[in-house]
């Protein structure tokens, strides 16, 4: 009887999970095997959409994975450094640093994008400062509308999502553990590699996963600061809008999701491998 009552207690949350996550994903999987023919949806199963993705869109898919991986790696590294300084070096200022990270989450997404356009533009803050100091004679046009601008803007937006899980995992490391390793003769690098990183493994993987998934599906940033740069999100969004080709959009989304899962598991394996003593 007690086990049955526990099932009833879990049932509402299970229903919400199924309705909001499992059912939409199942619909997407089924939809990806359908096809649009002469502006009508055909429910006959086919692999044409997946063939189309791998034949016509593999370059964009690869570029998206590369940008998402680079952004996630850089952001996770910066998040780890920030969390380490806040936890072990900032002392009484740790809470203030964490508060600053949380405050940035309330800033508008588009506001951050236009801020970087103002900084990196031909007449932006950076070019104006460099010209005023005499370092350059003409604006550097490659700062904006480039892959570097896309990565930088996405890093600014996603950094809090890397800091929070890593810092939370570092909070579980007591000062006694670090002092014990130091008393046993361990230097800074052995303490970092054998104590701190292994204990933060879950937070590091979580931060990388959050950033990769957000960047891999983003299409606003490449549109506004990337110029002619196209990521897979810029091709998926029109399929559900003007082009009305939901099956192809679903196939693109699922292929990108599977690629993201593979990259995340590879990163998790490498972190676990590097954390072994």
């Amino acid at each position: 009887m007690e086990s049955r009552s526990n099932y009833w207690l879990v049932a509402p949350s299970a229903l919400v999970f199924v309705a909001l996550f499992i059912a939409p994903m199942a619909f997407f999987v089924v939809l990806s095997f359908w096809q649009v023919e002469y502006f009508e949806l055909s429910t006959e199963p086919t692999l044409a959409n997946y063939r189309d993705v791998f034949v016509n869109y593999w370059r964009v898919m690869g570029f998206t994975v590369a940008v998402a991986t680079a952004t996630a790696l850089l952001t996770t590294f910066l998040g780890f450094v920030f969390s380490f300084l806040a936890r072990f070096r900032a002392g009484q200022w740790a809470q203030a640093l964490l508060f600053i990270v949380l405050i940035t989450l309330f800033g508008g997404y588009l506001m951050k994008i236009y801020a970087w356009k103002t900084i990196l533009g031909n007449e932006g803050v950076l070019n104006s400062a460099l010209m005023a100091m005499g370092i350059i004679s003409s604006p550097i046009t490659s700062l904006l509308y480039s892959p570097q601008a896309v990565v930088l803007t996405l890093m600014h937006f996603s950094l809090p999502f890397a800091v929070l899980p890593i810092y939370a995992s570092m909070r579980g490391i007591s000062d006694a553990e670090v002092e014990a390793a130091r008393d046993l003769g361990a230097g800074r690098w052995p303490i970092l590699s054998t104590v701190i990183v292994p204990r933060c493994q879950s937070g590091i993987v979580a931060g990388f996963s959050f950033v990769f998934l957000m960047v891999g599906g983003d299409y606003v940033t490449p549109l506004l600061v990337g110029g002619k740069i196209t990521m897979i999100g810029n091709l998926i969004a029109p399929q559900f809008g003007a082009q009305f080709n939901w099956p192809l959009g679903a196939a693109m989304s699922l292929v990108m999701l599977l690629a993201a899962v593979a990259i995340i598991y590879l990163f998790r394996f490498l972190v676990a491998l590097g954390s072994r003593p």
Side-chain angles (χ1 to χ4, degrees), residues 224-261:
L224 295 180
V225 302
K228 296 181 179 180
I229 293 176
T230 301
M231 294 176 63
I232 196 64
N234 301 110
L235 301 178
I236 293 175
Q239 306 300 330
F240 294 92
Q243 299 185 21
F244 193 66
N245 195 344
W246 291 18
L248 180 58
M252 289 180 178
S253 302
L254 290 174
V255 171
M256 186 61 202
L257 179 60
L258 293 176
V261 171

Side-chain angles (χ1 to χ4, degrees), residues 33-209:
F33 292 101
W34 295 350
Q35 196 173 16
V36 173
E37 297 178 349
Y38 303 105
F39 302 101
E40 291 187 0
L41 187 63
S42 173
T43 58
E44 183 178 354
T46 178
L47 294 174
N49 295 316
Y50 289 97
R51 183 172 60 250
D52 196 11
V53 170
F54 287 107
V55 171
N56 298 323
Y57 301 105
W58 66 272
R59 292 182 184 274
V60 179
M61 189 76 66
F63 177 76
T64 302
V65 170
V67 170
T69 303
T71 304
L73 288 174
L74 292 172
T75 307
T76 304
F77 174 76
L78 291 178
F80 182 87
V81 173
F82 184 94
S83 302
F84 177 83
L85 295 176
R87 172 64 182 86
F88 297 104
R89 296 290 185 267
Q92 61 181 356
W93 295 100
Q95 298 301 321
L97 292 176
L98 191 62
F99 178 75
I100 293 173
V101 172
L102 291 173
I103 283 296
T104 60
L105 290 174
F106 294 95
Y109 179 37
L110 291 177
M111 181 187 70
K112 296 176 183 179
I113 293 177
Y114 282 109
W116 280 108
K117 291 190 69 172
T118 303
I119 294 172
L120 301 176
N122 292 340
E123 299 179 358
V125 176
L126 185 57
N127 272 318
S128 299
L130 293 176
M131 292 179 66
M133 291 185 292
I135 298 177
I136 58 175
S137 57
S138 59
I140 303 176
T141 58
S142 60
L143 291 178
L144 191 61
Y145 303 129
S146 64
Q148 296 83 357
V150 174
V151 171
L152 190 61
T153 305
L154 289 171
M155 286 176 59
H156 179 203
F157 167 70
S158 58
L159 183 60
F161 297 96
V163 170
L164 294 178
I166 296 175
Y167 182 80
S169 62
M170 283 189 182
R171 287 290 299 271
I173 305 175
S174 64
D175 295 334
E177 296 178 69
V178 179
E179 291 298 330
R182 188 176 290 114
D183 292 340
L184 292 173
R188 294 181 178 179
W189 175 250
I191 291 175
L192 182 67
S193 60
T194 61
V195 178
I196 297 177
V197 172
R199 291 291 304 277
C200 297
Q201 181 178 335
S202 59
I204 294 172
V205 174
F208 180 88
S209 302

